[in-house]
């Protein structure tokens, strides 16, 4: 009788699952290459959107900034013999207006534009001039001009005419100096320093401007009061000051600001370009809810998480069911996960991001679930995979939607995922993994 011999498993057999784990890590890293290419695609689409936006705004009008009115009084600099300007801001500035919005579409891109109809009114007082270091005798009151800064003059859609103390003044393009703003309109308002009543008089003017995406104001009044209403349902109030009163619903918004001179970092009068008059600007952005590229880019950044976790889910199924998955099947599943992002980008260009995310993730999860059911010949395993992917994609959406709490939620979510993996992996008999497994066809 011949003695029995025991054939020792080969190195490959003894370390099969360790090698498979290394292969999975390698596949995850390889699939980051198409994920990086998808990021390049998003950048390309963003640049195309910027080109379309620039083309539309160049014809309609860019984002508008309204500054003023400001009273500019020339004087002669004795040491240089040159002309400079003293700037006097209004005691009271009121702006009441309405934004008439619309969406202009070019190709698949939309740009929010508006036609703003505004009334500006207020008063000036020469008392603020007592705080400047310019001799009163050098001021050339008869050459005084009233300036209004408008960032894009192409958007002006009415002939601006001002009433000051019962007299009408017509505005002309250009500014006497670029100390305060680069572009705007002006009108000569000859003043007599001895006529206190004329300096303290009221002004009123109608201003209509077209612009796109944003409109902002400079709080040049000692007290600045702005009231804007519009039918746009999704405004964004940003920059230096939020509205004191706001009302937003699906029919539009109404916002009111009241700002004092103590809230800004420049005085009521000064000479030259000592201060930045735009440092306290505030305004309204006509927010476009379908800013999908930024959200798509955030989703792609979590590609390694989705691909890695999905692969390791299949890996632990291998360990628990003792049924091996072919490397090619891992590659096909990984490609399906990458195609999710191209679906997300292309669909979100036509629909809103939320709906695009639901459709893209639904198609991807459905494809992988059906493929798993066919590969494993088990609807139970496929249902488990599908349910897990639903939770995973839902988790990723919550993270990319919660900008401020994204780090906290992501950290807690990863901790929970790791805890679940450790819980289920505790039952795996790691010392018996070298035994033969059944391949999945």
């Amino acid at each position: 009788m011949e003695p029995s011999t025991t054939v020792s498993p080969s190195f490959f057999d003894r370390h099969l699952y360790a090698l498979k784990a290394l292969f999975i890590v390698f596949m995850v890293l390889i699939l980051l290459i198409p994920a990086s290419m998808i990021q390049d695609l998003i950048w390309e689409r963003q640049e195309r959107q910027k080109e379309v936006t620039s083309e539309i705004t160049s014809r309609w009008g860019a984002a508008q900034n309204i500054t003023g009115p400001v009273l500019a009084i020339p004087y002669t600099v004795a040491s240089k013999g040159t002309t400079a300007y003293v700037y006097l801001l209004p005691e009271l500035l009121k702006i009441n207006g309405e934004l008439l919005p619309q969406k202009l579409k070019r190709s698949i891109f939309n740009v929010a534009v508006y036609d703003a109809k505004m009334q500006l009114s207020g008063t000036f007082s020469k008392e603020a001039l007592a705080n400047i270091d310019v001799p009163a005798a050098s001021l050339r009151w008869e050459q005084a001009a009233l300036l209004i800064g408008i960032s894009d003059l192409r958007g002006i859609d009415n002939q601006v005419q001002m009433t000051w103390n019962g007299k009408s003044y017509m505005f002309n393009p250009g500014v006497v100096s670029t100390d305060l703003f680069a572009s705007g309109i002006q009108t000569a308002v000859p003043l007599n320093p001895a006529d206190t009543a004329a300096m303290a008089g009221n002004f009123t003017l109608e201003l209509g401007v077209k612009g796109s995406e944003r409109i902002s104001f400079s709080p040049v009044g000692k007290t600045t009061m702005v009231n804007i209403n519009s039918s746009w349902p999704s405004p964004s109030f940003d920059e230096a000051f939020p509205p004191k009163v706001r009302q937003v619903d699906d029919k539009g918004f109404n916002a009111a600001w009241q700002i004092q001179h103590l809230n800004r970092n420049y005085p009521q009068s000064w000479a030259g370009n000592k201060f930045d008059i735009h440092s306290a600007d505030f305004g309204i952005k006509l927010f476009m809810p379908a800013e999908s590229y930024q959200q798509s880019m955030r989703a792609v950044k979590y590609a390694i998480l989705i691909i890695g976790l999905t692969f390791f889910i299949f890996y632990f199924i291998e360990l628990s069911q003792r049924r091996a998955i072919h490397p090619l099947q891992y590659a096909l599943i990984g490609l399906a996960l990458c195609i999710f992002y191209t679906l997300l980008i292309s669909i979100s260009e036509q629909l809103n991001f939320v709906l695009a995310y639901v459709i893209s993730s639904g198609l991807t999860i459905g494809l992988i679930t059906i493929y798993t059911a066919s590969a494993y010949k088990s609807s139970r395993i496929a249902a488990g995979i599908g349910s897990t992917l639903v939770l995973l994609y839902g988790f990723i959406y919550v993270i990319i939607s919660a900008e401020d709490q994204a780090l906290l939620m992501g950290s807690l979510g990863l901790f929970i995922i790791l805890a679940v993996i450790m819980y289920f992996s505790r039952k795996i008999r790691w010392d018996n993994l070298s035994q033969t497994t059944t391949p999945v066809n």
Side-chain angles (χ1 to χ4, degrees):
M1 181 176 179
E2 296 182 357
S4 61
T5 59
T6 302
V7 178
S8 300
S10 66
F11 175 85
F12 179 81
D13 291 332
R14 283 185 285 113
H15 301 281
L16 176 62
Y17 282 96
L19 294 173
K20 178 63 75 69
L22 291 176
F23 169 77
I24 290 174
V25 173
F26 176 74
M27 282 294 299
V28 170
L29 296 177
I30 289 296
L31 288 172
L32 290 182
I33 296 175
S36 177
M37 296 173 64
I38 292 170
Q39 286 185 322
D40 293 337
L41 175 62
I42 295 175
W43 284 115
E44 179 184 339
R45 301 302 290 173
Q46 281 183 315
E47 290 302 315
R48 174 56 182 159
Q49 184 184 41
K50 290 178 181 178
E51 291 176 4
V52 172
T53 300
S54 178
E55 182 181 349
I56 292 176
T57 57
S58 66
R59 299 178 181 180
W60 180 274
Q64 294 286 11
N65 174 260
I66 310 300
T67 307
V70 176
L71 193 60
I73 307 171
Y75 71 97
T76 301
V77 181
S79 60
K80 300 179 181 179
T82 59
T83 297
Y85 288 87
V86 166
Y87 300 104
L88 179 62
L89 306 185
E91 288 289 302
L92 174 66
L93 174 62
K94 293 182 178 180
I95 302 177
N96 293 303
E98 180 181 12
L99 297 185
L100 306 176
Q102 59 178 293
K103 292 181 182 179
L104 295 184
K105 185 171 184 178
R106 178 68 55 84
S107 182
I108 61 173
F109 303 108
N110 291 310
V111 178
V113 300
Y114 58 82
D115 190 357
K117 305 296 183 182
M118 297 172 289
Q119 182 185 68
L120 284 68
S121 61
T123 59
F124 281 88
S125 173
K126 71 174 185 178
E127 294 177 359
L129 293 175
N131 298 322
I132 63 172
D133 298 327
V134 176
S138 64
L139 295 175
R140 303 201 294 267
W141 293 90
E142 71 283 357
Q143 299 177 20
L146 198 71
L147 315 177
I148 299 178
I150 302 174
S151 55
D152 190 353
L153 297 180
R154 295 170 300 175
I156 300 176
D157 64 356
N158 72 310
Q159 177 58 56
V160 184
Q161 184 173 340
M162 177 185 66
T163 300
W164 180 310
N165 289 339
K167 295 182 179 180
S168 294
Y169 296 87
M170 197 73 68
F171 278 85
N172 294 305
V175 292
V176 296
S177 170
T178 57
D179 289 339
L180 304 184
F181 30 75
S183 64
I185 57 178
Q186 63 172 322
T187 182
V189 284
L191 300 174
N192 182 354
D195 189 352
T196 304
M199 285 293 299
N202 297 328
F203 67 86
T204 302
L205 61 94
E206 303 287 338
L207 178 62
V209 293
K210 292 182 178 179
S212 57
E213 297 184 316
R214 181 191 302 271
I215 185 169
S216 58
F217 306 92
S218 302
V220 296
K222 193 170 186 179
T223 298
T224 300
M225 304 171 67
V226 177
N227 188 289
I228 302 293
N229 66 80
S230 175
S231 59
W232 188 264
S234 53
S236 174
F237 305 106
D238 53 7
E239 301 185 73
F241 302 100
K244 187 175 182 179
V245 178
R246 73 178 76 181
Q247 180 180 355
V248 181
D249 54 35
D250 56 358
K251 296 181 180 179
F253 72 88
N254 182 275
W257 292 260
Q258 183 170 328
I259 302 167
Q260 306 299 325
H261 70 297
L262 297 175
N263 302 131
R264 66 189 194 213
N265 198 31
Y266 50 85
Q268 281 298 105
S269 63
W270 68 88
N273 58 354
K274 296 180 180 178
F275 299 96
D276 180 8
I277 202 169
H278 296 298
S279 61
D281 288 0
F282 63 95
I284 305 158
K285 179 182 179 182
L286 301 185
F287 180 71
M288 294 286 288
E291 292 182 344
S292 60
Y293 294 125
Q294 181 179 1
Q295 292 173 299
S296 297
M297 182 66 75
R298 296 183 66 192
V300 175
K301 291 179 180 179
Y302 290 97
I304 187 172
L305 181 61
I306 290 181
I307 296 172
L309 288 177
T310 303
F311 277 8
F312 277 99
I313 289 170
F314 278 96
Y315 178 70
F316 279 105
I317 290 176
E318 282 194 59
L319 298 182
S320 61
Q321 299 294 319
R322 308 301 298 277
R323 302 176 68 181
I325 301 177
H326 194 276
L328 180 59
Q329 292 175 305
Y330 273 104
L332 292 173
I333 293 170
L335 290 175
L337 295 172
C338 290
I339 290 175
F340 159 76
Y341 296 103
T342 59
L343 286 172
L344 178 62
I345 297 167
S346 58
I347 296 175
S348 64
E349 288 182 336
Q350 308 295 332
L351 306 172
N352 66 71
F353 181 81
V354 177
L355 188 56
Y357 191 92
V358 171
I359 294 173
S360 303
S361 59
L363 291 174
T364 303
I365 294 170
L367 177 62
I368 295 175
T369 301
I370 294 172
Y371 184 72
T372 303
S374 175
Y376 275 105
K377 304 297 190 294
S378 172
S379 58
R380 182 178 62 84
I381 294 177
I385 289 290
S387 301
T388 304
L389 289 177
V390 168
L391 292 175
L392 179 58
Y393 276 96
F395 169 63
I396 296 299
Y397 178 77
V398 171
I399 292 179
I400 65 178
S401 300
E403 297 183 8
D404 296 333
Q405 288 80 32
L407 179 60
L408 174 62
M409 298 180 67
S411 301
L412 291 176
L414 289 176
F415 178 81
I416 294 172
I417 291 171
L418 178 60
V420 171
I421 292 175
M422 293 175 69
Y423 174 79
F424 284 104
S425 65
R426 82 192 195 283
K427 297 181 180 181
I428 297 175
R429 298 291 301 274
W430 301 95
D431 54 334
N432 294 329
L433 293 180
S434 61
Q435 297 179 9
T436 304
T437 60
T438 303
V440 175
N441 297 321

